[in-house]
Amino acid sequence: MSDVDVLVAGAGAAGLAAALAAAEAGSEVALIDASQTYPAGSNTAMSTSMIPAAGSRWQQSAGIDDSPERFRDDIRRKTAGHADRTVTRALTDVAPELVAWLHDHCGVTLELVTDFDYPGHSRRRCHAVPDRSGRTLHTRLRSCVARTDAIAFSSPMRLEQVVSHGDRVTGAVLTTPDGRRDEVAAGHIVLAIGGFGADPTLVRTHLPEIADGLYHGGDGNQGDALRVGEQVSADVAGLDAYQGHGSVATPHGVLLTWATVMHGAVLLNSAGERFGDETTGYSEFGANVIAQPGRIAWMVFDRRIHDACLPFADFRDLIGCGAVRWADGVDELATVIGAPREPLARSLAAAHDASEGRSPDRYGRTRWEAPLRPPYAAVKVTGALFHTQGGLAVDPNARVLRRGVPVPGLYAAGGAAVGMSGRGADGYLAGNGLLAALGLGYLAGRHAGRRPASSPI
């Protein structure tokens, strides 16, 4: 591989955005990925393509009054003030520009999601591709990269280590599965090589509460960014933060959208009992589901909710693989999920009364779009770790920090960098992982690509 202006390691959302932004700024870019399975095996491809942006032109057209400041207030509330302030401000400020750039420059058709509300967002601000599939989003970005002459892509190729001269990172050692090593000089390097969710040892060290859950993320998230960061003594932040999920269909391994909950669905354990306010958030419910007998639960909804979720490609996949099971009434539902009839009947009756305002919900749930009515649908689900939300500390331009000062020539984005989810799973807001990936990638690529490598930092 020849020497380049900008080397981007990782071809998920963060790396693709960084490569495209750097090329648009006038740089020659080398883009690599360590895995040949990246088109289907990245966190991006496994997402629902939701990108929150406050103050976007889509919101303005819909008459929605929103702003980056209001978005930051929502993040502050959800994270109890623990979110990285620098990254939060940078991402909430750039988000409206980012979604417009994705649509106008990258050929990613976006629309504002207005048919339901996600937990923690005080405004409808999530933008998604029409089929709400991360696979579609990833495909559109890869197509844009393929059309861009200034970007050369190579895979499988792994960034093994960075090379420094003095304080500045000046290149990298790349390896291939056959053992070939190649040292490449680069004006700037963007680490978009994922988090550490696929490394069981790191997960058990930093995220013990979810260590026994299903891992439902990209196979490339092996902690490479942390190991590369150690080579330059980089700062780290938020390593105990992650996005979990409480509804991955099992044994199918397909995401059941939390839109079911926001439309009125409930989660029941194998004893036929609910175990919390489902509307608090899908991330924290990952550990809640794992804590249930057998580490499973059942998402119960009705025909109205079934039809409302059909826009999600993953939901249609679930239907196709037979994960959605129907029951005409309580007796049949008890048989489907293997729960005692009486506790199940009491749980459904209590939820029905709460949804109609006749009695308060014992778990404090107040958001019920409508009561559930038979026939009932049920999907067996488990709790999962989707992706980590901590990593290398960065500045507003996604430059990696060392003792609080940018490391010249080195950037991090996506799972490689700290996000804006604070601590644990409770601080995660829908779409914030994808915004951190695309947003930090965009900021890194724009900053790294807009000036000659020899310019002073």
Side-chain angles (χ1 to χ4, degrees):
M1 180 179 288
S2 302
D3 299 343
V4 294
D5 297 328
V6 179
L7 170 64
V8 179
L16 295 172
L20 288 165
E24 185 181 29
S27 287
E28 292 294 322
V29 181
L31 173 65
I32 65 171
D33 196 276
S35 173
Q36 288 182 307
T37 65
Y38 75 95
S42 70
N43 289 338
T44 305
M46 301 170 79
S47 76
T48 55
S49 79
M50 299 288 169
I51 309 164
S56 75
R57 71 189 194 212
W58 286 266
Q59 285 183 305
Q60 292 168 11
S61 295
I64 296 174
D65 178 24
D66 201 5
S67 67
E69 292 78 14
R70 181 175 284 113
F71 190 3
R72 286 194 286 275
D73 286 341
D74 289 347
I75 293 170
R76 192 175 301 114
R77 280 191 295 272
K78 192 70 165 66
T79 65
H82 293 302
D84 184 290
R85 293 184 180 182
T86 297
V87 171
T88 297
R89 176 171 287 276
L91 289 173
T92 52
D93 281 347
V94 82
E97 175 185 337
L98 171 71
V99 291
W101 177 77
L102 289 168
H103 189 281
D104 299 341
H105 175 76
C106 303
V108 178
T109 301
L110 293 174
E111 59 186 26
L112 186 66
V113 177
T114 58
D115 52 328
F116 68 98
D117 298 308
Y118 269 117
H121 287 291
S122 63
R123 297 291 188 276
R124 290 176 170 173
R125 61 170 68 104
C126 284
H127 303 68
V129 296
D131 68 353
R132 302 177 184 183
S133 167
R135 296 187 299 274
T136 300
L137 169 64
H138 197 235
T139 298
R140 296 288 182 270
L141 289 171
R142 289 189 287 114
S143 295
C144 190
V145 165
R147 296 192 301 268
T148 305
D149 292 338
I151 303 174
F153 176 63
S154 298
S155 175
M157 186 172 289
R158 181 184 181 210
L159 191 151
E160 188 76 27
Q161 66 184 74
V162 293
V163 177
S164 300
H165 288 158
D167 288 338
R168 184 180 184 85
V169 170
T170 58
V173 175
L174 311 180
T175 61
T176 58
D178 61 7
R180 181 168 59 88
R181 293 170 61 87
D182 188 12
E183 184 170 330
V184 178
H188 307 281
I189 294 175
V190 180
L191 301 177
I193 47 182
F196 58 87
D199 185 312
T201 300
L202 288 173
V203 170
R204 195 161 293 280
T205 298
H206 298 293
L207 313 172
E209 70 179 51
I210 200 71
D212 292 328
L214 171 73
Y215 174 59
H216 191 74
D219 55 9
N221 293 286
Q222 300 287 342
D224 285 357
L226 295 180
R227 287 184 275 273
V228 171
E230 288 178 357
Q231 297 168 14
V232 295
S233 301
D235 301 337
V236 297
L239 295 184
D240 62 345
Y242 69 95
Q243 184 212 335
H245 210 290
S247 62
V248 176
T250 181
H252 312 86
V254 179
L255 173 66
L256 171 59
T257 171
W258 210 249
T260 51
V261 164
M262 303 313 293
H263 284 305
V266 295
L267 273 173
L268 302 170
N269 61 22
S270 58
E273 298 172 339
R274 288 176 57 224
F275 46 93
D277 175 5
E278 301 89 343
T279 64
T280 56
Y282 56 75
S283 182
E284 46 267 60
F285 255 77
N288 289 354
V289 170
I290 292 169
Q292 302 310 305
R295 299 176 185 167
I296 62 98
W298 291 84
M299 187 74 79
V300 176
F301 50 101
D302 59 13
R303 178 64 66 180
R304 176 187 62 83
I305 296 172
H306 169 279
D307 294 347
C309 291
L310 287 174
F312 287 85
D314 285 338
F315 188 73
R316 298 195 298 272
D317 290 344
L318 276 178
I319 296 171
C321 65
V324 181
R325 302 172 64 182
W326 288 93
D328 288 334
V330 174
D331 290 343
E332 191 173 347
L333 182 61
T335 299
V336 167
I337 70 178
R341 184 197 183 282
E342 292 310 313
L344 173 62
R346 286 195 299 269
S347 295
L348 291 177
H352 190 277
D353 288 347
S355 67
E356 292 199 320
R358 288 201 293 265
S359 62
D361 179 53
R362 63 178 295 190
Y363 299 105
R365 178 170 173 172
T366 58
R367 300 180 66 168
W368 306 88
E369 193 171 275
L372 294 179
R373 304 188 185 281
Y376 300 111
V379 177
K380 186 179 181 180
V381 298
T382 190
L385 165 63
F386 271 28
H387 47 80
T388 54
Q389 286 286 293
L392 305 181
V394 294
D395 77 352
N397 290 304
R399 294 183 294 180
V400 173
L401 300 178
R402 177 172 53 208
R403 294 183 293 279
V405 177
V407 178
L410 189 63
Y411 299 76
V418 63
M420 50 183 178
S421 295
R423 306 192 63 180
D426 295 359
Y428 188 82
L429 273 170
N432 276 7
L434 193 52
L435 173 57
L438 289 163
L440 288 177
Y442 176 67
L443 291 167
R446 185 178 66 178
H447 192 266
R450 70 185 177 186
R451 53 188 169 73
S454 59
S455 296
I457 300 297

